[in-house]
Amino acid sequence: MPASHPMSERDREIQASARTFVDELLPYEVEAELHGGELPADALQAQRKRVRELGFEAINMPRELGGGGFTTFQQVLVQEQVGRATNALGWVIHTPAGWLPSVAIPYQMARWVGPTIAGDLRECYAITEEGAGSDVDAIQATAARVGDQYLLNGVKWHVTSINHADYVFFQAKLATGPKAGAHAMFIMDLDTPGIRVVRTPAYSHTISHHHAIVAFEDVRVPETHLIGGEGDGMAFAYEWFRYDRLMIAARSLGAAERLAEEATAFARQRRAGGRVIFDHQAIQFMLADSLTELWAARLMTYETAHGIDAGVDVKVQHAQCSMAKLYASEMAGRVADRAVQIFGGRGYMRENVAERFYRELRVDRIWEGTSEIQRSIIADQLAKRGPARLTG
């Protein structure tokens, strides 16, 4: 880590506590894998209790609102440890919509934000559509003003964690008014009439959080459910994307570290040709490449987090979060591939950590903007600001 950013004692305490907690989750991985990602209710409740005891509930929310008030760097330290667990077991550490308190009206604060920070409610996002993934502006969902209400319509894909959520953020294009065609963001309870789950597809990973296809059919919400103003929706989406991209990078670090540790331990005891396979140069090179790339990704991710805490220009943040996600997610995928190869046949068994990460990490190059979208964002900022602003 750069000497200009030494870790404080508090940073180290947070890192150690997060690591200890995630170590407690690791023994549940195979059970979760073999049961559709689900754990017994008592185990899950015990884990949530531990999260509260450790002060890891809503770590990204302001302390004055009851949240953890962690710096961006401290959140990266926590999410790095979360990434060490497969089957999304670490998602029990919940980070709500950190962008919301600064724009929420008192009604929204009382109804959703406060209870979420307290750990009583959970949210999900309905943004992506069948024809609009990384290109958010291509969404077809609409919001039409009707008196003092809005009429919402659209079908959303990949609504992550909907089965654990109580309310949903819905992004649409305004169909009426002076800002027709602009984006707006709404918040509403999932039991609002007109919201229905179309189907819940199966995915490559085995986690308890579903990613449903959800229809919003003539859903009526009062104007109190509009977040910010008409036309503000894309700004909120971008802020969420920046945050989530950096945290994906952080979790990729944890996954790569776990894989490097497990593969190294296996290579030091597995024998072939009369020698432990760690002594074979082919294995050494795979592990050396993995460790080198992990270090580079960690430095990049940490530095990005420190820049955000220092108030770096938001456009630079946007590019650097994309750079961190791009490199760290692709790095972790390469490390997982090497780990499977080192484990050999064992690495293809679902009970093996490398096999699970090999499947799970693949989506990190897709969600919250594909690797190709990240490259486009980086190139756009490069053209506008030059290399020194982005890497200096």
Side-chain angles (χ1 to χ4, degrees):
M1 176 171 196
S4 58
H5 299 301
M7 288 177 66
S8 68
E9 196 60 40
R10 176 59 177 155
D11 294 339
R12 295 187 184 280
E13 289 173 359
I14 288 171
Q15 183 185 53
S17 293
R19 189 175 186 88
T20 297
F21 174 65
V22 173
D23 283 345
E24 295 170 8
L25 300 179
L26 301 187
Y28 291 95
E29 288 179 327
V30 174
E31 180 179 1
E33 177 64 29
L34 300 180
H35 294 87
E38 301 286 348
L39 293 179
D42 58 342
L44 183 58
Q45 289 304 315
Q47 291 166 6
R48 288 178 175 170
K49 181 180 177 183
R50 281 285 284 149
V51 168
R52 290 191 293 271
E53 291 172 349
L54 292 168
F56 288 152
E57 189 70 54
I59 60 175
N60 62 326
M61 288 299 208
R63 188 178 299 275
E64 59 269 23
L65 296 178
F70 285 24
T71 66
T72 304
F73 176 62
Q74 290 169 344
Q75 293 175 57
V76 162
L77 293 177
V78 173
Q79 291 297 324
E80 182 175 8
Q81 296 307 314
V82 164
R84 293 174 53 240
T86 64
N87 305 95
L89 296 182
W91 288 15
V92 69
I93 296 178
H94 175 233
T95 51
W99 53 271
L100 185 56
S102 65
V103 295
I105 61 175
Y107 172 80
Q108 295 166 355
M109 291 292 295
R111 180 159 179 174
W112 292 292
V113 178
T116 301
I117 293 173
D120 298 326
L121 296 180
R122 292 289 185 270
E123 78 291 339
C124 61
Y125 283 81
I127 296 179
T128 300
E129 298 177 6
E130 183 176 12
S134 296
D135 180 11
V136 179
D137 194 46
I139 63 172
Q140 298 296 309
T142 60
R145 183 74 182 246
V146 182
D148 61 353
Q149 293 186 324
Y150 287 90
L151 187 66
L152 310 179
N153 281 282
V155 178
K156 298 294 186 175
W157 281 47
H158 314 306
V159 182
T160 299
S161 302
I162 186 170
N163 59 314
H164 290 279
D166 303 284
Y167 63 95
V168 60
F169 294 103
F170 177 83
Q171 187 158 340
K173 283 185 175 179
L174 294 161
T176 57
K179 294 192 176 180
H183 288 247
M185 185 80 77
F186 298 86
I187 184 171
M188 70 208 77
D189 294 326
L190 278 169
D191 60 2
T192 303
I195 300 176
R196 67 179 178 89
V197 173
V198 177
R199 66 185 181 93
T200 302
Y203 286 77
S204 294
H205 52 223
T206 307
I207 67 176
S208 68
H209 294 252
H210 298 167
H211 315 277
I213 298 173
V214 184
F216 294 75
E217 299 164 327
D218 290 335
V219 177
R220 290 182 177 272
V221 296
E223 56 189 7
T224 53
H225 290 44
L226 171 68
I227 302 174
E230 292 187 348
D232 291 343
M234 191 65 89
F236 303 145
Y238 283 153
E239 189 167 351
W240 172 53
F241 284 151
R242 281 193 298 276
Y243 178 80
D244 241 30
R245 286 166 183 167
L246 183 60
M247 297 307 150
I248 286 171
R251 291 192 292 272
S252 295
L253 303 180
E257 179 183 284
R258 172 94 182 281
L259 286 162
E261 290 174 345
E262 299 273 5
T264 299
F266 177 77
R268 292 177 71 88
Q269 58 87 25
R270 173 67 169 169
R271 303 186 70 84
R275 304 159 60 192
V276 293
I277 63 172
F278 185 86
D279 291 342
H280 292 280
Q281 196 173 67
I283 303 297
Q284 293 174 354
F285 282 9
M286 283 193 281
L287 291 170
D289 284 345
S290 296
L291 198 64
T292 301
E293 292 183 47
L294 168 58
W295 188 38
R298 178 172 283 143
L299 293 173
M300 178 185 293
T301 304
Y302 283 14
E303 188 68 17
T304 301
H306 283 300
I308 293 172
D309 287 332
V312 166
D313 179 82
V314 70
K315 295 295 186 181
V316 174
Q317 291 181 28
H318 203 66
Q320 291 181 338
C321 287
S322 288
M323 293 163 77
K325 177 189 184 290
L326 171 66
Y327 186 75
S329 65
E330 296 200 344
M331 173 277 301
R334 290 190 292 271
V335 172
D337 184 77
R338 295 179 192 125
V340 170
Q341 199 70 14
I342 290 170
F343 277 106
R346 289 172 176 80
Y348 211 60
M349 300 167 70
R350 287 175 62 191
E351 65 194 52
N352 185 278
V353 64
E355 189 277 341
R356 296 194 298 277
F357 270 131
Y358 186 73
R359 283 182 287 114
E360 292 181 12
L361 290 169
R362 186 61 183 86
V363 74
D364 287 340
R365 287 178 270 166
I366 297 173
W367 57 16
E368 322 315 354
T370 63
S371 287
E372 291 71 31
I373 288 294
Q374 307 312 320
R375 289 183 171 95
S376 294
I377 292 169
I378 296 161
D380 178 64
Q381 289 299 314
L382 171 63
K384 292 175 179 175
R385 300 170 198 287
R389 286 294 306 280
L390 303 186
T391 62

